[in-house]
Amino acid sequence: MFLRHAQNALTLSWYLSVALVIYIGWSVREQRYLLAESGIGYWLGIIGGAMMLLLLYYPVRKRKPRWKYSGSIKFWFRFHMFLGIAGPVLIILHSGYRLGSLNGTVAFFCMLIVAGSGLIGRYLYRRIHHGLYGEKIRFEELYHKDQSWEEKLAELKNKYPEPVEKLGVIESQLVQHGAAASRSLWFYQSMQWQLQTLKRQIIQQLGKNSADSAGFQQRIQSLKSITSLGVHEILFSYWHILHFPLFIMLLISGITHVVVVHFY
Ligand code: HEM
Ligand code: HEM
């Protein structure tokens, strides 16, 4: 618990420092301390660009489980996210907050889009893993049918046959589609709505705090976490499809920019 709080505090202070550096750079931009074409400003371009090349080792390392000598996947993932922010920050300073040429502008916006997309990817990744560096959450972990629930269900069935039946229908649909290729965002959304409606009906019928109502609500909650896992898994796979071409655009525009500024 303490460790998690400390980690959250560290992450927050990292993002705040990034915002502060960008803000300070912005507020002194008119003084033109940094020039993109020479001195520190030029070097910031090179270092920021190199950082964005280095972060590409993470997807390579992830696909080569045997290359342990070059550092753990977890380390490279962490480093990827660090470089994915630090690199663009240095490039923002490198640009001097001025967009002149078409090539520089295109590369600049591609970079912001890819880094922004990375942050969205981080958010989705976290939703389907045990924390940022943990294992992938599996459907089976959320769907447990233990003895105590079976007993409770039999008892509830005698008292409230209708909601138990509705719950059973939703549950069996989720189990059938849970791992199937046919699942979709729409499917999970409609399951979510059905669970929400059922929860409302149960609260109306049994009140919020009775033991039976709590039993139902607990089960509905665990089915909801299955729908949430499904939604985030699908969104993450779409994200992967989108992120790659964005990154290719950055690569091409970044290389074009470097070539153009040196040859023309
Ligand atoms: C993806 C990484 C990079 C981005 C997004 C980027 C972006 C920019 C931007 C926005 C400018 C301001 C003027 C303009 O719009 O053209 C600029 C200028 C410049 N950049 Fe970069 N830069 C990057 C990497 C580099 C690297 C690695 C170098 C050097 C090897 C470099 C060299 C220069 C030079 C010489 C200028 C001044 C020339 C000019 O104003 O046209 N840049 N860059
Ligand atoms: C210029 C900046 C960035 C570039 C060029 C970049 C590039 C990439 C590439 C090429 C991949 C691999 C995609 C694949 O396996 O199909 C990736 C994955 C990923 N990146 Fe980035 N990224 C950047 C910034 C960031 C940032 C700022 C974050 C978050 C703070 C981030 C988080 C992620 C995540 C979560 C993944 C997926 C990891 C996985 O599926 O194992 N990226 N990125």
Side-chain angles (χ1 to χ4, degrees):
M1 194 65 167
F2 170 75
L3 210 68
R4 220 182 52 216
H5 283 313
Q7 235 170 14
N8 287 345
L10 206 69
T11 308
L12 187 68
S13 32
W14 161 239
Y15 285 112
L16 285 178
S17 328
V18 164
L20 191 67
V21 169
I22 294 176
Y23 173 73
I24 293 173
W26 168 263
S27 54
V28 298
R29 71 192 182 287
E30 296 302 340
Q31 276 82 337
R32 307 209 72 187
Y33 292 126
L34 297 174
L35 296 175
E37 51 270 42
S38 60
I40 298 178
Y42 182 79
W43 274 101
L44 287 176
I46 295 183
I47 298 170
M51 280 177 155
M52 286 189 275
L53 287 177
L54 184 60
L55 64 76
L56 298 177
Y57 187 64
Y58 162 65
V60 176
R61 173 69 184 87
K62 199 180 133 189
R63 285 170 179 80
K64 300 279 179 198
R66 285 172 175 211
W67 291 7
K68 290 199 181 82
Y69 57 86
S70 61
S72 70
I73 296 179
K74 184 176 150 179
F75 163 78
W76 277 103
F77 186 35
R78 212 182 266 256
F79 203 32
H80 174 93
M81 291 187 289
F82 168 75
L83 295 172
I85 299 285
V89 169
L90 297 194
I91 294 293
I92 290 174
L93 299 176
H94 157 77
S95 77
Y97 298 79
R98 266 164 226 273
L99 299 173
S101 63
L102 180 66
N103 65 82
T105 308
V106 172
F108 190 78
F109 283 108
C110 282
M111 177 193 78
L112 292 188
I113 292 171
V114 176
S117 151
L119 287 172
I120 297 173
R122 179 188 191 272
Y123 168 82
L124 295 172
Y125 186 95
R126 208 176 170 168
R127 289 285 167 281
I128 60 174
H129 289 79
H130 292 289
L132 258 184
Y133 310 107
E135 294 284 306
K136 166 88 186 58
I137 301 174
R138 287 174 299 113
F139 168 80
E140 297 76 19
E141 289 173 59
L142 302 176
Y143 185 67
H144 26 79
K145 277 190 115 178
D146 53 24
Q147 187 67 24
S148 67
W149 168 246
E150 291 297 330
E151 283 164 14
K152 181 83 188 159
L153 191 67
E155 187 194 319
L156 290 173
K157 199 170 182 175
N158 285 332
K159 292 194 207 165
Y160 316 103
E162 202 196 328
V164 169
E165 194 183 325
K166 281 186 184 164
L167 190 64
V169 172
I170 300 175
E171 194 166 322
S172 69
Q173 275 181 290
L174 267 179
V175 174
Q176 274 170 22
H177 287 267
S182 61
R183 68 201 190 132
S184 64
L185 283 178
W186 171 246
F187 164 74
Y188 284 117
Q189 193 53 58
S190 84
M191 290 291 109
Q192 188 84 11
W193 282 328
Q194 288 179 38
L195 285 166
Q196 197 54 37
T197 313
L198 184 61
K199 184 176 169 185
R200 229 178 297 123
Q201 286 169 356
I202 285 167
I203 292 178
Q204 264 172 10
Q205 205 179 332
L206 313 181
K208 201 165 184 178
N209 299 322
S210 70
D212 288 346
S213 175
F216 271 120
Q217 287 180 56
Q218 222 175 6
R219 190 63 176 174
I220 288 176
Q221 199 47 46
S222 64
L223 296 184
K224 271 187 172 176
S225 47
I226 294 177
T227 61
S228 162
L229 176 70
V231 165
H232 287 109
E233 278 175 351
I234 294 175
L235 287 178
F236 189 62
S237 66
Y238 289 160
W239 175 83
H240 254 280
I241 297 171
L242 192 74
H243 194 62
F244 198 69
L246 288 176
F247 147 68
I248 296 292
M249 272 167 56
L250 170 60
L251 195 66
I252 295 173
S253 59
I255 292 173
T256 309
H257 166 68
V258 173
V259 172
V260 168
V261 293
H262 288 96
F263 288 95
Y264 296 96

